[in-house]
Amino acid sequence: MFDLSGKTALVTGASGGIGGAIAKALHARGAVVGLHGTRREALDALAAELGGRVHVLPANLADAAAVEQLAKDAEAAMGSIDILVNNAGLTKDTLVLRMKDEDWQTVLDVNLTAAFRLSRAAVKGQMKRRWGRIINITSIVGVTGNPGQVNYAASKAGMIGMSKALAQEVASRNITVNCVAPGFIASAMTDVLSDEQKAKLNAGIPAGRMGTSDEIAAAVVYLASAEAAYVTGQTLHVNGGMAMI
Amino acid sequence: MSDVAERVKKIVVEHLGVEEAKVTENASFIDDLGADSLDTVELVMAFEEEFSVEIPDDAAEKILTVKDAIDFITANS
């Protein structure tokens, strides 16, 4: 089950914790993997760890031309983009009264608009080949909201709506479009929290702990697989029961 | 038959998987050849690629038959 041999996958934001775990999991299932990110050294290190069937594709997702080029580079390197994982994202948190237009725009550009542009580029080849998977990494806050994150929450909610619309457009071509919505995931960002802060966080999660990047990657592997062919337009919440939607 | 007409018909046959005999000049992509809306977009993209022409959205909307495609491409390439 979940064999991805012969498939090609582009993972954006692969230099981060969750993106790296997704790339590794897809690779472990046999896929050729394109690693996108902004930190070249981190991508090179991950590529070295994976060995073969891997391509390093750095690009600035805030730049429209660079996003178009990334799609072209990925297709040139791998021959196709069978599986696109829009994982790259950033935050510029602040309360709305203090939020500048550029804080809003940058987050929307990278988290949502780049995902749109890459999906548009990838779906073209997927339609011709009559097979494709687009998996957008959204967030629990796209559904529940979170103070200080109006920009981030809007971008993640936008991804969910975009996925549902696109899923309907391309379903007849054996292309599925889904989201994975992580809750609190242990990362470099949460490592710096004090034990007291962590305990407080965990108290709000029925599972009593934060999730791991590998648990997000497993959800992506499932949605990328042939076995998930009949699942489209959905958001798979991976959050330890923190929100049940 | 002109070269453009032959190439257009070849694309339609390949893309829609229909018999060549059915692809007459007056055949409508949707009504006669079984295309759906996504097929028509794909056909327009295939024509653009094959003939190196740009087909704007408002022109693409008017390309409903094989003849419409041949006429547009002949006039614009």
Side-chain angles (χ1 to χ4, degrees), chain A residues 124 127-128 130 169 173, chain B residues 36 38-39 42 45 49:
Chain A
K124 203 170 165 182
M127 276 171 60
K128 279 189 189 152
R130 297 287 193 268
E169 287 190 20
R173 302 303 193 262
Chain B
D36 64 17
L38 210 50
D39 286 319
E42 285 184 282
M45 281 163 56
E49 208 169 302

Side-chain angles (χ1 to χ4, degrees), chain A residues 10 12 61 67-68 70-71 75 81-87 111-127 129 132-137 158-159 162-163 165-167 169-170 175-179, chain B residues 45:
Chain A
L10 172 61
T12 67
L61 295 186
V67 176
E68 301 295 340
L70 169 62
E75 290 202 324
I81 304 173
D82 297 323
I83 301 160
L84 170 64
V85 184
N86 286 307
N87 164 74
N111 296 10
L112 183 58
T113 309
F116 155 70
R117 290 188 175 122
L118 286 174
S119 299
R120 180 178 59 190
V123 91
K124 203 170 165 182
Q126 292 178 350
M127 276 171 60
R129 290 186 301 277
R133 297 282 186 268
I134 295 175
I135 300 157
N136 294 320
I137 308 303
M159 267 188 150
M162 177 177 78
S163 302
L166 181 55
E169 287 190 20
V170 298
I175 300 167
T176 68
V177 187
N178 291 288
C179 292
Chain B
M45 281 163 56

Side-chain angles (χ1 to χ4, degrees), chain A:
Chain A
M1 275 179 102
F2 312 135
D3 179 21
L4 300 175
S5 304
K7 299 295 184 195
T8 57
L10 172 61
V11 181
T12 67
S15 47
I18 293 177
I22 292 169
K24 281 187 209 170
L26 295 174
H27 188 268
R29 292 285 168 176
V32 175
V33 180
L35 307 174
H36 158 270
T38 46
R39 290 180 290 126
R40 176 91 209 200
E41 312 81 67
L43 296 178
D44 284 339
L46 179 56
E49 191 184 329
L50 294 178
R53 290 186 282 116
V54 61
H55 301 271
V56 172
L57 305 159
N60 172 12
L61 295 186
D63 176 348
V67 176
E68 301 295 340
Q69 192 58 44
L70 169 62
K72 283 185 191 141
D73 290 347
E75 290 202 324
M78 305 191 291
S80 61
I81 304 173
D82 297 323
I83 301 160
L84 170 64
V85 184
N86 286 307
N87 164 74
L90 51 81
T91 55
K92 297 232 178 250
D93 297 353
T94 188
L95 294 175
V96 73
L97 289 169
R98 305 287 299 165
M99 190 173 286
K100 295 185 180 69
D101 280 3
E102 65 217 57
D103 297 332
W104 169 269
Q105 200 58 52
T106 307
V107 168
L108 267 289
D109 283 349
V110 172
N111 296 10
L112 183 58
T113 309
F116 155 70
R117 290 188 175 122
L118 286 174
S119 299
R120 180 178 59 190
V123 91
K124 203 170 165 182
Q126 292 178 350
M127 276 171 60
K128 279 189 189 152
R129 290 186 301 277
R130 297 287 193 268
W131 199 93
R133 297 282 186 268
I134 295 175
I135 300 157
N136 294 320
I137 308 303
T138 174
S139 166
I140 179 66
V141 308
V143 178
T144 62
N146 196 30
Q149 295 197 306
V150 296
N151 48 3
Y152 186 75
S155 72
K156 294 302 186 179
M159 267 188 150
I160 294 174
M162 177 177 78
S163 302
K164 289 177 179 176
L166 181 55
Q168 293 180 39
E169 287 190 20
V170 298
S172 65
R173 302 303 193 262
N174 294 321
I175 300 167
T176 68
V177 187
N178 291 288
C179 292
V180 173
F184 277 116
I185 302 303
S187 67
M189 212 156 54
T190 56
D191 284 347
V192 299
L193 297 174
S194 69
D195 285 347
E196 197 190 337
Q197 285 171 312
K198 281 184 193 165
K200 212 171 157 187
L201 257 177
N202 291 343
I205 306 170
R209 64 171 179 85
M210 282 185 250
T212 66
S213 298
D214 289 342
E215 287 167 329
I216 302 305
V220 173
V221 166
Y222 166 63
L223 291 172
S225 71
E227 284 78 1
Y230 202 52
V231 178
T232 195
Q234 305 301 315
T235 298
L236 180 48
H237 289 269
V238 183
N239 62 27
M242 201 178 113
M244 301 185 185
I245 300 124

